[in-house]
Each structure stands twice: as C-alpha cells, then as structure tokens.
C-alpha cells in the first residue's frame, strides 16, 4: 500500500503549482503532471515528476527540461505515456501539445504529432 501522506502538496514543500493528472504503475511509482515547475522548493520538475512509493523523487525518471507549458493529462500505454497539454516543446523537442514518452522520461521518436487547433484542454478531457 502506498503512503499518500508524503506525496507532494502545493505550498512550501511538494510542488509549487497545480497537479492536473497522475498515474501509478505496477511498481507503485506515481507519475504526476500539471503546472508545477519545482519540487520541494529546490528541484526543477518542469511540469512532470515521478515519485517512489516512499514519496521520494524517483531519479531514474529524467524529464530534463520537461514541458514548456502545462501538461493536463497523462495516459499510460504499456510502459509509455502520452502527455497532453498546452506545451509546444518537451525536452527541447517540438511536440504540438502531445508527446509520447518512454518510462524513463525520454521522448519516443516513433510518435510524430500533427498540429491541431483549438484548446488542448478539450483533447485532454478537462475543458
């Protein structure tokens, strides 16, 4: 069982912005997305981070510079994740509001998103 008392909360500890979606894998790690840019007031989180079952940051997940704007939705597909939001770049690569990432946070180059118009929150089911 996961002890959720240690998971990030908005404020001086945890994340410094909103958490809009999260998914837990079969090992109990929790990957969260949102508008936050820091974890525990000092670690760059760039709108995505993964926590171990202990609530500690999982350093095996490396999103690098992450997304350049809010991520609204994370959708697990096998051991990969689709990220959907109002971002145009993820890890310095153009993404057009949607990207497929590997379990380690790297971009899966096999997925190439087409550009679309409209509010990305509608695509993510939030709007």
């Amino acid at each position: 069982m996961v002890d959720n008392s240690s998971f990030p909360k908005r404020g001086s500890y945890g994340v410094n912005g909103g958490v809009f979606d999260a998914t837990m894998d079969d090992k109990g790690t929790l990957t969260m997305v949102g508008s936050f840019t820091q974890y525990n007031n000092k670690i760059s989180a760039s709108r995505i981070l993964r926590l171990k079952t202990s609530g500690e940051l999982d350093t095996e997940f490396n999103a690098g510079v992450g997304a350049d704007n809010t991520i609204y939705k994370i959708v697990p597909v096998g051991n990969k994740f689709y990220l959907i939001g109002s971002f145009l770049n993820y890890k310095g690569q153009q993404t057009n509001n949607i990207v497929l990432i590997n379990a380690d946070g790297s971009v899966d180059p096999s997925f190439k998103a087409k550009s679309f118009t409209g509010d990305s929150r509608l695509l993510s089911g939030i709007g």
Side-chain angles (χ1 to χ4, degrees):
M1 174 166 254
V2 176
D3 176 10
N4 66 2
S5 65
S6 61
F7 289 159
K9 299 165 191 69
R10 189 174 181 169
S12 58
Y13 293 99
V15 294
N16 67 336
V19 174
F20 296 122
D21 201 12
T23 187
M24 187 174 292
D25 66 18
D26 57 355
K27 293 184 263 180
T29 60
L30 182 70
T31 306
M32 301 185 308
V33 298
S35 62
F36 53 87
T37 57
Q38 285 189 330
Y39 177 67
N40 282 348
N41 263 349
K42 59 186 171 199
I43 301 169
S44 178
S46 299
R47 298 165 187 95
I48 185 169
L49 62 83
R50 187 167 70 193
L51 298 176
K52 298 177 183 180
T53 56
S54 64
E56 295 176 81
L57 191 66
D58 185 347
T59 55
E60 290 181 20
F61 181 81
N62 180 5
V65 297
D68 63 357
N69 208 337
T70 303
I71 303 172
Y72 293 111
K73 188 84 174 162
I74 182 168
V75 180
V77 179
N79 63 348
K80 299 181 182 200
F81 304 97
Y82 282 103
L83 306 178
I84 304 164
S86 58
F87 56 94
L88 296 177
N89 297 286
Y90 178 84
K91 288 191 88 163
Q93 297 182 36
Q94 186 174 359
T95 57
N96 299 322
N97 306 99
I98 185 169
V99 65
L100 180 63
I101 64 169
N102 297 305
D104 64 0
S106 63
V107 174
D108 180 334
S110 70
F111 178 77
K112 298 290 182 201
K114 300 287 184 191
S115 184
F116 65 91
T117 60
D119 190 337
S120 61
R121 291 175 293 173
L122 296 176
L123 179 64
S124 69
I126 292 177

